[in-house]
Amino acid sequence: MKHVLLLLLVLVMTGCDDVYRYPCQDPENWDDEYCTSNACVAAGACAVDVMGPDRAANEKLIKEYNESKSEVK
């Protein structure tokens, strides 16, 4: 039974990945033309729309998260 649970856990974790639902959620895209143009405003997909109005706080959290990920490696 332990082996089955361990196998199930391994299978579930293999599907984990850093994926963004919207391109403007990815901090690397925040300065791209799409994420700063009227197209993202019309689609409601700009960073401020998908992450909330406090972008500076979100940037700080993302920076801290990325730093913690790099320390683990």
Side-chain angles (χ1 to χ4, degrees):
M1 184 65 175
K2 290 181 184 179
H3 296 287
V4 172
L5 291 175
L6 182 62
L7 179 62
L8 183 60
L9 178 65
V10 169
L11 289 174
V12 169
M13 293 304 292
T14 57
C16 296
D17 195 10
D18 291 336
V19 178
Y20 296 97
R21 182 173 182 180
Y22 303 101
C24 296
Q25 280 180 309
D26 186 352
E28 293 180 8
N29 295 336
W30 285 350
D31 295 323
D32 287 354
E33 183 179 344
Y34 175 76
C35 295
T36 59
S37 69
N38 289 333
C40 76
V41 172
C46 296
V48 70
D49 298 321
V50 296
M51 296 182 67
D54 194 0
R55 181 174 160 178
N58 290 324
E59 287 177 344
K60 180 182 175 192
L61 290 173
I62 290 168
K63 181 180 177 186
E64 290 172 359
Y65 171 74
N66 288 334
E67 287 172 356
S68 69
K69 273 180 64 174
S70 64
E71 290 173 2
V72 173
K73 292 180 181 181

